[in-house]
Each structure stands twice: as C-alpha cells, then as structure tokens.
Amino acid sequence: MSSQVEALTRAVVHTEKTRNELQRSLDECEEDQRRMYLAFQSRDAQRDAEVTILRDRVLALELHMASATEVIKSQENFMDQLKHAVNPLIRCAICTEDYGDSKIPVT
C-alpha cells in the first residue's frame, strides 16, 4: 500500500508542478495579450491622429485652392477691365500717330 501512496504522491506532485507551469504560461500569455492590445490601441490612436492631420491638410489645401481660384478670377476681371480701358488709348495713339494732332476718331 505504501507503494500506491508513493505513486499517488508522485502523481499529485507532478500534477501540481504541471499545473504551476501551465498557470505561469497562461499568465505570460495574458501579459503578452495585454501588451499587444495596448500596442494596437497606441497604433490606432497614432493612425487616428495621422488621419486627422491629413484631413486638416486636405481642408487647408482646399481652402487655399478656393482662395487662389478667387484671386485668379479677380485678376482675370481686372485684366478684362484693363483691356477695355487700354484699347481706346491704343486706338487713339495709333490715330494720333497716323494723323497727327487732328483727333480723328477711330471706329
């Protein structure tokens, strides 16, 4: 009977040792899982921040483009007005050059 007790004792000790090793392994896995979760959260936060920065840049570029378009339109309008103002002066200068000071109107 003592051999059975010794065998059972060895089995209990072995089982306890195995359980402790498994528990240690489980604890390590849980810690690894926690670290990975935190790393993914950090990456997600960083990615969200990068997306926000990129959205802000796109918005700034869109505003800049709208502003530039308005400036271009304004300059085009100014150039048209300038042409309308300068064309009669050019005609008058040509007329004066061709006919002297006689002020012959050009039609």
Side-chain angles (χ1 to χ4, degrees):
M1 186 111 57
S2 67
S3 64
Q4 289 177 340
V5 171
E6 287 177 17
L8 287 174
T9 303
R10 279 194 304 268
V12 167
V13 169
H14 178 71
T15 302
E16 186 66 26
K17 184 178 176 183
T18 302
R19 189 194 72 76
N20 289 340
E21 289 172 2
L22 289 173
Q23 184 62 48
R24 194 171 24 255
S25 177
L26 178 63
D27 292 344
E28 289 172 2
C29 288
E30 287 174 349
E31 182 62 26
D32 288 346
Q33 182 184 22
R34 187 184 69 76
R35 272 188 261 145
M36 285 191 296
Y37 177 75
L38 291 175
F40 283 128
Q41 275 188 325
S42 176
R43 286 183 194 147
D44 285 346
Q46 182 179 359
R47 192 173 347 181
D48 290 347
E50 290 170 354
V51 166
T52 299
I53 289 168
L54 290 174
R55 282 185 186 149
D56 290 347
R57 286 181 181 169
V58 167
L59 180 59
L61 286 172
E62 288 174 346
L63 291 173
H64 181 71
M65 288 171 50
S67 176
T69 301
E70 289 300 316
V71 168
I72 290 169
K73 285 180 184 178
S74 174
Q75 288 175 345
E76 287 173 348
N77 288 338
F78 176 74
M79 291 299 290
D80 287 342
Q81 291 172 358
L82 193 58
K83 284 180 193 174
H84 291 303
V86 170
N87 281 339
L89 294 175
I90 292 172
R91 285 190 206 125
C92 184
I94 292 171
C95 175
T96 302
E97 195 174 285
D98 289 345
Y99 301 104
D101 290 332
S102 60
K103 307 279 189 205
I104 300 172
V106 176
T107 59

